Amino acid sequence: MGYSNATVQAAYNQLQVENNPTVRQQLCDQIIGGMDNDYAGIWTCTYNEYRPHRAELHGYVYNAMDMRLLYYPMYDAPVEYPVENVRTSQTYASIQEAVNAAVDGDTIVVHSGIYRENVYIDKPLTLRGIDDGSGLPVVDGMGTFCALLLDGSGNITIENICATNSSGTYPTIDIHSDHSIVRDCVVYNSSSVGIHTWYSNDNLVLDNVVFNSHMGIGFDHGARNNATGNHVFSTSDIGLCVSDSIDAVLLGNQISDIPSNNGIGCYRSGGILIMDNIVSNCQNAISIGESNDTIVEANTISNGSGRGIDVGSSINITVSGNTASHCSDGICIDNSNHSAFAWNDLNNNVNNGIWVNGIDSCNISFNNASFNQWGISGNVAGDNLVGWNVANHNMDSGINLGGSGG
């Protein structure tokens, strides 16, 4: 389905073949400028920085990472019955009708269009979006409930779906089932959590984009849930959060532009792996609180107003091979014991490369804490090993530790 405005259509056609970023930005502005009065929020970017732009027609989402319009205007669904059961070839006018009629193991394809409904899935099936040229299908929760609720015995897959406009405390995609997968989806404009698991286990949240939500992705009271390859940005609360959970994996995610909250948070949990994530422009990039047996490894952190990695009241934490620069502090360790902090690069931070307080039986070794105000500083308690660190070219002192510890 095309645009009703000929000028907008011409700009869109040119956008599909234009490679010059400046011209692409101009064409996107033309498209946005030609829309009518059914407005929703939009983000654009200038170089690598996000900035709020003017309003955009309902049904559009703009990808600020590479200047592409991901979703195009959809005034009506492109075909009379845009939802189809692959096994039976039966078509339906709504997603919920198709789900209700499906049996275990069915695949339901959803064509381009805006589906204003709250979809409840309580059987193992696959819900797959199809872009017919008018963008991925959009499930609009209408501000009344979840856009998609996964319940029942599990083994549900959601892929290539855009979900938006949940209400109040209801997540946009809420997972109450085990062994389910949400991948290649785009979730935005949620007043709660974009993608959420609740008392559920062994779920995969893969390669999704979540933005303009209260919280990006949340794992709550579960085991062995996995978030890999997601991009979360512009949330008001934590970008990616694990709470009251065990053995979760947070791998290769990109979290950015959360200036008033944490990029990644891990609270009251154990056995969590936080690895190979890129976190930028957040308050505290990675925050660990009251969590034990957790690994924070090979993450890249930059441009935070608070701490790069903040560890508090935790035991047996391993923090290694991370880079944290241009934060208030590179690593902060507060009242945490029996933990190791090694082989981290903590340079060009406003205050400390590493700051410690009240730690016991910790190993702080082979770190590079240079070009900060202080290299390694704070107070220790108990027996700790602090050795083989590099702390050069700091404005105040290289290593300055006080307290009663060794």
Side-chain angles (χ1 to χ4, degrees):
M1 177 172 288
Y3 296 86
S4 58
N5 184 304
T7 303
V8 171
Q9 182 68 59
Y12 170 72
N13 291 341
Q14 184 180 348
L15 182 65
Q16 305 314 297
V17 297
E18 180 60 59
N19 293 320
N20 185 294
T22 301
V23 177
R24 289 180 63 83
Q25 181 70 70
Q26 294 170 351
L27 291 169
C28 287
D29 286 341
Q30 289 179 34
I31 294 171
I32 296 164
M35 297 299 100
D36 62 21
N37 294 319
D38 186 12
Y39 290 137
I42 185 177
W43 291 83
T44 69
C45 69
T46 301
Y47 298 103
N48 292 323
E49 295 182 358
Y50 298 107
R51 64 178 174 85
H53 196 63
R54 55 177 298 173
E56 185 182 6
L57 180 67
H58 182 76
Y60 280 74
V61 178
Y62 188 83
N63 183 356
M65 293 302 295
D66 60 5
M67 295 183 177
R68 283 190 300 116
L69 284 170
L70 287 175
Y71 308 102
Y72 317 123
M74 295 167 287
Y75 299 98
D76 299 293
V79 293
E80 185 177 2
Y81 296 109
V83 184
E84 179 182 0
N85 185 308
V86 172
R87 179 180 59 85
T88 65
S89 299
Q90 178 67 45
T91 57
Y92 302 89
S94 73
I95 299 171
Q96 192 65 61
E97 284 184 59
V99 170
N100 292 345
V103 300
D104 292 1
D106 277 354
T107 295
I108 297 169
V109 295
V110 183
H111 294 269
S112 298
I114 297 178
Y115 300 83
R116 293 180 175 87
E117 52 183 309
N118 308 109
V119 181
Y120 176 75
I121 305 174
D122 62 350
K123 62 189 72 171
L125 55 76
T126 296
L127 186 68
R128 177 179 300 136
I130 301 294
D131 183 352
D132 297 315
S134 299
L136 292 177
V138 178
V139 180
D140 184 339
M142 302 175 292
T144 59
F145 192 61
C146 306
L148 292 155
L149 174 57
L150 284 56
D151 205 356
S153 60
N155 292 290
I156 301 167
T157 297
I158 307 295
E159 57 189 19
N160 295 318
I161 296 287
C162 178
T164 186
N165 198 17
S166 63
S167 70
T169 59
Y170 296 108
T172 303
I173 300 178
D174 204 6
I175 305 171
H176 294 188
S177 62
D178 299 337
H179 301 284
S180 292
I181 301 172
V182 176
R183 64 184 170 208
D184 297 315
C185 293
V186 178
V187 181
Y188 64 103
N189 293 351
S190 172
S191 58
S192 180
V193 188
I195 302 173
H196 180 244
T197 67
W198 174 251
Y199 282 97
S200 57
N201 309 314
D202 302 295
N203 297 291
L204 300 177
V205 179
L206 310 175
D207 300 316
N208 302 283
V209 177
V210 183
F211 64 99
N212 287 7
S213 296
H214 177 64
M215 182 184 292
I217 298 171
F219 293 158
D220 198 352
H221 290 87
R224 299 174 303 279
N225 293 304
N226 183 313
T228 296
N230 302 282
H231 181 199
V232 180
F233 62 96
S234 301
T235 63
S236 57
D237 206 327
I238 301 171
L240 178 50
C241 184
V242 177
S243 60
D244 302 290
S245 298
I246 61 171
D247 300 332
V249 174
L250 312 180
L251 177 65
N253 302 282
Q254 183 176 348
I255 315 294
S256 64
D257 298 282
I258 309 175
S260 60
N261 220 305
N262 301 325
I264 295 175
C266 177
Y267 309 108
R268 303 175 304 279
S269 296
I272 311 302
L273 175 63
I274 303 172
M275 185 174 181
D276 282 331
N277 301 283
I278 299 174
V279 187
S280 62
N281 298 311
C282 299
Q283 187 178 57
N284 296 323
I286 299 175
S287 176
I288 310 294
E290 299 180 63
S291 295
N292 304 326
D293 307 307
T294 290
I295 296 173
V296 182
E297 183 175 319
N299 300 282
T300 302
I301 297 163
S302 63
N303 299 312
S305 59
R307 297 164 174 178
I309 300 172
D310 186 24
V311 179
S313 302
S314 299
I315 298 173
N316 195 27
I317 307 298
T318 299
V319 178
S320 66
N322 302 280
T323 299
S325 64
H326 302 286
C327 301
S328 176
D329 300 283
I331 294 176
C332 288
I333 315 162
D334 188 16
N335 292 309
S336 295
N337 306 322
H338 302 284
S339 297
F341 303 83
W343 301 106
N344 300 285
D345 285 322
L346 310 161
N347 303 316
N348 295 297
N349 295 289
V350 175
N351 296 315
N352 299 280
I354 299 176
W355 179 84
V356 302
N357 180 56
I359 64 172
D360 185 11
S361 302
C362 289
N363 183 332
I364 302 174
S365 303
F366 301 105
N367 299 284
N368 184 353
S370 301
F371 299 98
N372 309 287
Q373 183 73 36
W374 297 274
I376 302 173
S377 70
N379 297 292
V380 297
D383 294 323
N384 301 278
L385 173 62
V386 181
W388 304 286
N389 299 285
V390 176
N392 296 327
H393 307 291
N394 293 288
M395 295 180 66
D396 198 312
S397 59
I399 299 177
N400 183 12
L401 295 173
S404 59

